[in-house]
Amino acid sequence: MNSISYKELIEKNGYYIATPIGTSMMPMIRQRLDTVRLVKPTKRLKKYDVILYQRKDKTYVLHRIIGVKKDSYVLCGDNQFIKEYNVTDEMIIGVVDGFYRGETYVSNDNKEYIRYYKKRVRNRIFRKIKHYIRKIIK
């Protein structure tokens, strides 16, 4: 049986609905409960976009762009504080244009969602501090 890649599915259908596994995008995306709608990027991506990309070790990752450089992006999961550098356009499979929270679709232009992600990116440093305080206490 031939397997078809995520990129090919997006190319063929125009989008792909995925149910993420992992906690890196919590609380926005709840593991195995919420789904994301991935589409093919049509232009240069921007800060706050959520992308699915494939690392060099072939693992798939869904993270938010927190910085845009000339030829790459800086990423971080909403539930994380460690930045990931040097993600290039060639590594990107799709961009999230919205997600389903249960039966409710939340598009990228939803005002509550915009407030959420701006606050989440801005407060990344506090997650980092909290992590190190917990580490010291243990």
Side-chain angles (χ1 to χ4, degrees):
M1 182 173 173
N2 292 340
S3 63
I4 186 167
S5 73
Y6 295 124
K7 202 170 210 167
E8 291 169 325
L9 284 168
I10 293 169
E11 197 69 45
K12 179 182 175 187
N13 301 320
Y15 68 94
Y16 179 71
I17 305 291
T19 303
I21 299 169
T23 60
S24 70
M25 288 304 292
M26 285 185 61
M28 180 189 100
I29 303 297
R30 299 170 303 169
Q31 175 177 232
R32 298 183 193 260
L33 292 174
D34 301 321
T35 55
V36 295
R37 186 174 186 272
L38 295 157
V39 297
K40 181 180 177 179
T42 57
K43 58 186 176 189
R44 178 90 166 132
L45 298 171
K46 59 190 183 317
K47 185 176 181 178
Y48 304 121
D49 284 340
V50 176
I51 61 168
L52 177 68
Y53 66 102
Q54 190 172 26
R55 290 181 176 149
K56 289 179 173 63
D57 68 2
K58 303 296 183 202
T59 57
Y60 292 100
V61 182
L62 187 74
H63 278 172
R64 186 176 306 281
I65 296 173
I66 63 170
V68 177
K69 297 187 173 208
K70 183 180 177 184
D71 56 357
S72 67
Y73 302 96
V74 180
L75 306 177
C76 189
D78 284 359
N79 195 33
Q80 298 180 324
F81 59 86
I82 297 172
K83 295 178 183 178
E84 187 158 356
Y85 295 90
N86 301 319
V87 174
T88 62
D89 288 308
E90 294 75 33
M91 298 165 71
I92 296 170
I93 293 163
V95 61
V96 173
D97 74 346
F99 63 96
Y100 291 90
R101 170 61 60 102
E103 297 295 316
T104 305
Y105 181 71
V106 180
S107 68
N108 284 351
D109 58 0
N110 177 291
K111 287 181 179 21
E112 274 185 58
Y113 175 54
I114 293 168
R115 278 195 298 275
Y116 158 80
Y117 66 65
K118 287 185 176 181
K119 180 179 178 184
R120 199 73 189 170
V121 170
R122 191 173 52 246
N123 291 339
R124 185 185 63 79
I125 187 69
F126 298 115
R127 287 191 300 283
K128 187 174 185 175
I129 292 167
K130 185 177 173 182
H131 169 78
Y132 286 117
I133 289 172
R134 283 183 179 165
K135 202 172 181 178
I136 291 169
I137 290 172
K138 285 184 180 180

